[in-house]
Amino acid sequence: MAQFELEVNGETHRLDVPGEMPVLWALRDVLGLIGTKFGCGIAQCGACTVHLDGVAARACVLSVAGAAGKAITTIEGLGNGTRLHPVQRAWIDLDVAQCGYCQSGQIMSAAALLADNPAPTDADIDAAMVGNYCRCGTYNRIRAAIHSAAVQMSGDEASAGLFYDAAREVRT
Amino acid sequence: MSRVHDETFRALQADVAELGMNRRGFFKLAAVVGGGLVLGTRLTTAAETDADGSGGQLNTFVHIASDGTITIYAPRPEMGQGIKTALPMIIAEELGARWEDVNVVTAPVDSASFGGQGAGGSTTIPREWNRMRQLGASAREMLIDAGATVMELPRDELVAADSTVRHGSGRFMTFGQLAGLAAKQSVPDPDGLVFKSRDEYTILGKSMTGVDNLEIATGAALFGIDTRLPNMLYAAYQKCPAIGGRIRSANVEEIKTLPGVVDAFVLRGNDDPRQLLDGVAVVGTSTWAVFEARKRLQIEWDERRASKDSWAQIKARAESLYGQRGRDVTLDKGNVDDVFRDNKNTTLAAFYEYPFVAHLCMEPMNCTAHYRRGERSKDSIELWLPHQFPGSSIPLLSREFNVAEERITVHQTRMGGSFGRRVFSEYVLEAVTISERVNAPVKLTWSREDDMRHDFFRVGGFQSIKGAVDPSGKLVAFENHFVGMQTGGRPVSGSSFGPKQFPLQNLDDGFVSRTMFGINTPCGPWRAPGSNTNAFVVQSFLSEMAHVAGRDYVEFLLEILGEPRWFEPANVQSLNTGRAADVIRLAAEKSGWGREMPVGSGLGLAFYFCHAAHVAEVAEVSVDANKKLTVHRVTAAVDVGPIVNMSGALSQVEGSIIDGLSTMVGQKITMEEGRVQQTNFHQYPVLRMPAAPPVDVHFIQSDYTPTGLGEPALPPLAPAVGNAIFAATGERVRKMPLTELGFSV
Ligand code: FES
Ligand code: FES
């Protein structure tokens, strides 16, 4: 065992764990930050996505030793403490989640995309989100929520939320 | 472990029995045992004014505080189907509440207070529709009684709306002001309650966002796997890769010395995969510590009684049966042989195949258990459990561990998907057995590899189909030789082709025979069991028949359906050909059925009836020279009666379509020597965002009893896509997954 300093959501934690322990398990089992999810353990599903120095990373294959000295952001730290991140807001308003289990990873990937590319095209979204699997099939709402958050973040809030029209034609 | 049998099915039975409970029965029960706001406790009366006299409990499910907060219990487990939002919406509607005032709380597992607490088979909405309306309407009447007393106005001039009781004069009082007094009113006769009509709805049929959305979007603890307890240990459980193998020996002493490992030991099971199989438990200080330690396990397995199943052998045997009839005849109606022999008719035969598939819930199987030793054998058990029938663990554990049912507490958690997987309880028995052994709270987490290899799979199978059309192009005979799987002499879940399968009821001449292969690979319900494969075979084959007859498929199907009729009037579980024809016409209209398509593109339609739902879907696809498939759009027309939550209903249909496509394109579980050969996502391709088509959903709403939408929109997807591929390329899709036919997405 060695001591590692891990900066998570702006706080520095001193951890007594083997350096090869994946950040996923350090977050969940040591620090109690259970928002980051376990889905596969082999970087194939995206459920464990966090930001490492602002870039989306799969925490299940990122070692504590490798993350030491870098800033980790998890779903718990995505908002600014008093306000939700616009991506979280869009996810809630557009009712993206079904079971919800993949969604913290989806939100982290989406937030990293928008930090980098404030007005992504559908192709940009495809490229950024291809590693995040959703078993429940919420992809269309995820896409709509990313577009909606992009509009909110650009300040044009009036048109945010218009991308997903839940009230499609219903005959009675 | 041998005393435990079929817990799941008992739970299902209990749930069905609850359906038969008459409405008076429910209210009597509520009056006796009641419910409470404080989780885990059982209050002594149903309706009761709060101790400070301000608010009140109006019945087991509804509490209104003096500040106007309406708390409604969500009784049944949430796995992504939206039930935690939908059931409280039904109560709130009849109550006359404003949805913004409602706070939804997961009910404790307590069937004496809350009735059946399982979820499966898309049955929750139809089972709870009347009961939830009664609960809301009953509380509403009590509020109106209180309002009439306080405002000194005639009761029949008052209505409840917007969380108030109001009079035509404009006078009103809020629910919060009236709740304390309302709880003292007598509970109305449930048979006298009048429900709102659909045009009066202010909540039902609208889009309400999920009640856990904030928690999901911020990573709050909701799922079973998120459970954390003081002094909790973490566990992994290694079972034999050949299902059902026993343990001869294992290097547990060496494992115990590894970093982070607290204990390691062999558990002896009872050879029943639904209960406890032999395995090695590794217990430690983190999930990672036990996952790492198990990599060092050296186990000598005794595979004499283990599964020897081989997909390659199953497939070869099934193919050798092509063109023959099975010895076991399950339907012989009219005389198909005469129809087939009549050379004025045109006959066609085809052989269809579909594989085993896994559930692949995003949240792997897990259970947190705390077995506490008590004085004089008064042990107790507490569980934090993601399960479709969380209460079914109570009798199971009571028998197994000889602990009284009152000393077993189950906390139901949100599930990260289930799709039929979490009706089984082997992971519960594993966790409790390990907790008892180490005398500490334990969270057992399965690795993805455990989850994929030790699933209860959607069963694979084969169907040898034959049909005939008469000279006018009308379908006149249908025959199926169903090659399915059984375990212990009984067909496994989903491995059957019943006499009510479309189009057997609609024809004079039909014949079904079957051949069942014995297998030991565990199988279980998987999203629309049976329907998810039978729809593929039947709707693909009927489209083939239409083509042979030179007919348009929509017209061909509508002709088979004939005049509108309901096979068993008033039984929504039976086919209603009028509703069927309506969804087929609507899907055709909305998708632009019949339009000219560019070369390499095509439309395919399929209809299916299951779970009391009539659903038709049209897929629009294109296929390039390298057989790369693009699904451009799927249009769905759905009749499930009235819609409870529009947003949730749309999600279920979209999700079912994406799930159906994901499964159809690339998923296949195989086994050799009893070992499941796929272990994780790299060997089991799933549909990713770039390949997900837009989905266009149209509901036909009606006053039929509503049904659930977790399943019925999935079955038509595969045949719709297969039929579209044929339209685009001329190649018939008679086998899943598509990757085996050279397609990619
Ligand atoms: S758990 Fe990390 S990508 Fe699946
Ligand atoms: S919402 Fe269930 S896995 Fe994505």
Side-chain angles (χ1 to χ4, degrees):
Chain A
M1 297 263 199
Q3 288 228 327
F4 292 91
E5 285 198 346
L6 217 53
E7 191 199 317
V8 183
N9 301 332
E11 249 183 80
T12 303
H13 302 268
R14 201 176 290 271
L15 300 184
D16 261 331
V17 299
E20 66 273 23
M21 178 186 260
V23 166
L24 169 65
W25 298 113
L27 291 170
R28 290 184 58 84
D29 292 354
V30 183
L31 298 177
L33 293 170
I34 46 66
T36 305
K37 298 295 193 249
F38 166 58
C40 67
I42 57 168
Q44 294 279 317
C45 77
C48 65
T49 306
V50 297
H51 296 172
L52 188 67
D53 284 342
V55 177
R58 309 292 182 224
C60 66
V61 292
L62 174 67
S63 70
V64 166
K70 302 198 170 119
I72 296 169
T73 306
T74 70
I75 186 79
E76 291 91 343
L78 187 61
N80 69 6
T82 51
R83 290 193 59 157
L84 295 171
H85 188 284
V87 169
Q88 291 171 309
R89 180 86 245 169
W91 245 250
I92 293 169
D93 291 347
L94 273 66
D95 203 22
V96 171
Q98 288 183 34
C99 82
Y101 192 80
C102 72
Q103 300 296 350
S104 40
Q106 306 278 4
I107 288 170
M108 295 309 285
S109 288
L113 164 67
L114 291 174
D116 199 45
N117 177 353
T121 62
D122 279 342
D124 296 335
I125 293 173
D126 282 346
M129 304 302 292
V130 70
N132 285 84
Y133 174 54
C134 175
R135 173 69 178 83
C136 300
T138 64
Y139 296 128
N140 290 328
R141 289 197 188 200
I142 290 173
R143 184 187 304 285
I146 294 173
H147 283 308
S148 172
V151 172
Q152 276 185 45
M153 289 167 79
S154 74
D156 183 10
E157 298 208 14
S159 39
L162 294 180
F163 291 89
Y164 195 86
D165 181 8
R168 273 171 282 183
E169 180 184 345
V170 174
R171 297 199 329 182
T172 54
Chain B
M1 287 281 160
S2 54
R3 287 164 295 141
V4 184
H5 298 294
D6 287 329
E7 284 310 318
T8 308
F9 300 104
R10 253 187 233 148
L12 275 164
Q13 272 167 3
D15 235 39
V16 173
E18 164 243 332
L19 259 181
M21 183 195 278
N22 70 35
R23 296 186 283 168
R24 269 180 198 291
F26 166 70
F27 276 87
K28 245 186 260 150
L29 181 70
V32 174
V33 294
L37 256 193
V38 186
L39 286 181
T41 66
R42 189 181 281 179
L43 298 188
T44 48
T45 59
E48 187 172 69
T49 305
D50 290 355
D52 65 1
S54 60
Q57 186 79 37
L58 298 188
N59 55 48
T60 322
F61 284 70
V62 180
H63 179 272
I64 302 179
S66 57
D67 70 357
T69 304
I70 302 166
T71 302
I72 300 181
Y73 273 128
R76 294 187 185 247
E78 175 64 58
M79 54 188 144
Q81 84 280 42
I83 208 67
K84 188 174 175 184
T85 306
L87 293 184
M89 281 174 72
I90 303 173
I91 294 179
E93 178 69 67
E94 287 297 336
L95 182 61
R98 241 191 350 217
W99 183 243
E100 300 78 78
D101 299 333
V102 172
N103 177 36
V104 174
V105 175
T106 300
V109 175
D110 173 6
S111 58
S113 296
F114 294 99
Q117 293 188 281
S122 297
T123 57
T124 302
I125 290 288
R127 281 177 187 176
E128 294 286 32
W129 177 239
N130 278 333
R131 193 167 74 118
M132 294 294 120
R133 292 195 296 173
Q134 283 169 8
L135 285 160
S138 168
R140 172 190 73 213
E141 296 305 317
M142 291 160 78
L143 285 158
I144 291 175
D145 281 343
T149 305
V150 179
M151 291 190 275
E152 297 183 336
L153 287 167
R155 146 173 236 303
D156 57 3
E157 291 177 14
L158 297 176
V159 293
D162 286 334
S163 301
T164 60
V165 174
R166 23 187 7 114
H167 183 254
S169 65
R171 288 182 63 195
F172 71 92
M173 288 186 76
T174 65
F175 281 3
Q177 290 170 318
L178 293 171
L181 182 61
K184 294 197 172 88
Q185 308 300 310
S186 58
V187 175
D189 176 356
D191 293 331
L193 295 171
V194 178
F195 300 141
K196 290 184 180 177
S197 63
R198 271 196 298 136
D199 55 9
E200 294 173 299
Y201 287 163
T202 59
I203 294 173
L204 293 183
K206 307 286 182 289
S207 280
M208 299 302 178
T209 56
V211 294
D212 285 339
N213 280 9
L214 177 65
E215 287 78 1
I216 289 168
T218 54
L222 281 172
F223 300 96
I225 204 169
D226 297 339
T227 307
R228 289 172 61 80
L229 301 170
N231 305 315
M232 184 178 82
L233 295 173
Y234 298 82
Y237 192 57
Q238 175 73 48
K239 288 178 279 201
C240 184
I243 292 159
R246 291 179 177 173
I247 288 187
R248 284 216 179 86
S249 65
N251 61 335
V252 289
E253 292 309 319
E254 183 190 334
I255 298 299
K256 283 184 199 170
T257 66
L258 296 173
V261 173
V262 172
D263 204 352
F265 42 88
V266 169
L267 292 183
R268 300 283 171 199
N270 69 346
D271 299 330
D272 185 342
R274 288 171 302 181
Q275 295 165 21
L276 191 68
L277 291 177
D278 272 22
V280 180
V282 182
V283 184
T285 55
S286 72
T287 313
W288 183 73
V290 296
F291 280 7
E292 281 298 290
R294 67 186 283 192
K295 291 183 189 159
R296 308 273 289 274
L297 273 169
Q298 285 167 8
I299 303 172
E300 197 193 331
W301 299 104
D302 168 2
E303 295 187 18
R304 280 173 302 178
R305 299 177 55 125
S307 168
K308 306 279 186 296
D309 290 352
S310 155
W311 171 255
Q313 282 174 18
I314 288 172
K315 185 170 151 67
R317 253 182 90 195
E319 284 170 349
S320 74
L321 296 173
Y322 178 46
Q324 300 174 24
R325 278 180 175 165
R327 263 188 235 130
D328 183 5
V329 175
T330 58
L331 177 83
D332 188 357
K333 179 181 176 186
N335 191 334
V336 287
D337 291 326
D338 282 354
V339 181
F340 288 134
R341 264 196 301 268
D342 184 341
N343 53 26
K344 288 195 297 301
N345 296 332
T346 309
T347 65
L348 178 73
F351 188 73
Y352 279 80
E353 172 189 328
Y354 40 88
F356 286 70
V357 297
H359 287 85
L360 201 75
C361 303
M362 270 303 264
E363 178 195 18
M365 296 307 109
N366 68 87
C367 174
T368 304
H370 192 181
Y371 190 104
R372 293 183 183 85
R373 286 186 215 295
E375 296 286 296
R376 290 191 299 269
S377 78
K378 286 214 155 68
D379 293 359
S380 65
I381 300 171
E382 194 168 2
L383 294 182
W384 290 261
L385 181 59
H387 199 285
Q388 285 184 234
F389 293 84
S392 67
S393 294
I394 295 173
L396 168 70
L397 295 173
S398 178
R399 280 195 300 280
E400 217 40 59
F401 291 89
N402 198 20
V403 170
E405 293 197 8
E406 313 80 78
R407 288 196 299 276
I408 300 173
T409 307
V410 180
H411 308 279
Q412 55 172 326
T413 68
R414 197 176 176 93
M415 286 171 268
S418 188
F419 312 101
R421 173 61 180 88
R422 292 182 227 260
V423 303
F424 297 97
S425 300
E426 82 285 28
Y427 56 97
V428 181
L429 287 168
E430 290 168 8
V432 176
T433 308
I434 295 168
S435 172
E436 181 199 26
R437 173 79 175 250
V438 298
N439 202 15
V442 167
K443 173 158 67 181
L444 169 74
T445 304
W446 284 22
S447 66
R448 177 56 64 194
E449 289 78 8
D450 296 328
D451 194 86
M452 196 174 284
R453 300 184 94 163
H454 293 281
D455 198 354
F456 289 80
F457 301 94
R458 191 285 301 277
V459 66
F462 310 83
Q463 298 185 31
S464 194
I465 305 268
K466 199 171 169 188
V469 287
D470 71 11
S472 76
K474 185 179 178 6
L475 185 75
V476 285
F478 183 91
E479 169 165 351
N480 187 1
H481 177 189
F482 182 88
V483 181
M485 312 292 151
Q486 60 184 13
T487 297
R490 291 222 310 256
V492 301
S493 173
S495 206
S496 65
F497 194 93
K500 291 180 186 171
Q501 280 294 333
F502 184 77
L504 293 168
Q505 285 175 290
N506 304 64
L507 296 177
D508 294 331
D509 299 282
F511 187 92
V512 181
S513 62
R514 65 176 186 180
T515 302
M516 302 299 282
F517 297 164
I519 56 165
N520 290 310
T521 303
C523 293
W526 186 103
R527 204 171 198 172
S531 304
N532 61 53
T533 44
N534 290 338
F536 166 64
V537 174
V538 172
Q539 287 292 313
S540 300
F541 182 72
L542 291 181
S543 173
E544 292 199 46
M545 291 299 309
H547 184 76
V548 162
R551 307 270 309 274
D552 171 75
Y553 188 45
V554 167
E555 201 193 302
F556 184 77
L557 263 182
L558 293 175
E559 183 182 67
I560 298 169
L561 288 163
E563 288 302 301
R565 69 193 145 133
W566 200 354
F567 280 102
E568 297 161 46
N571 175 8
V572 290
Q573 299 293 341
S574 77
L575 179 67
N576 182 322
T577 60
R579 295 173 81 183
D582 283 347
V583 293
I584 292 168
R585 286 196 198 96
L586 182 62
E589 175 201 327
K590 295 297 176 186
S591 63
W593 181 257
R595 73 191 132 108
E596 208 53 52
M597 296 295 288
V599 176
S601 301
L603 297 174
L605 178 139
F607 157 77
Y608 203 70
F609 172 75
C610 63
H611 301 283
H614 298 78
V615 183
E617 292 171 8
V618 175
E620 179 176 344
V621 312
S622 63
V623 181
D624 75 9
N626 299 316
K627 295 186 90 169
K628 184 173 176 349
L629 168 74
T630 305
V631 181
H632 297 279
R633 174 173 295 272
V634 177
T635 305
V638 180
D639 179 356
V640 286
I643 297 298
V644 173
N645 182 357
M646 183 56 70
S647 178
L650 289 166
S651 275
Q652 290 309 303
V653 177
E654 291 174 11
S656 298
I657 283 168
I658 304 290
D659 188 9
L661 186 59
S662 184
T663 310
M664 176 194 206
V665 168
Q667 296 181 4
K668 179 174 186 175
I669 288 289
T670 57
M671 50 277 178
E672 293 303 333
E673 298 278 309
R675 289 164 160 74
V676 173
Q677 297 180 301
Q678 293 72 27
T679 61
N680 206 322
F681 285 87
H682 63 299
Q683 293 156 325
Y684 194 77
V686 294
L687 198 80
R688 305 288 180 156
M689 190 188 250
V695 176
D696 189 19
V697 186
H698 304 271
F699 291 109
I700 296 176
Q701 297 208 54
S702 62
D703 288 318
Y704 290 102
T705 304
T707 187
L709 262 172
E711 295 164 284
L714 185 138
L717 186 279
V721 170
N723 293 341
I725 289 174
F726 175 76
T729 66
E731 179 174 349
R732 275 293 170 198
V733 175
R734 297 196 183 103
K735 168 202 262 206
M736 296 194 284
L738 292 174
T739 46
E740 301 224 325
L741 300 170
F743 292 97
S744 65
V745 289

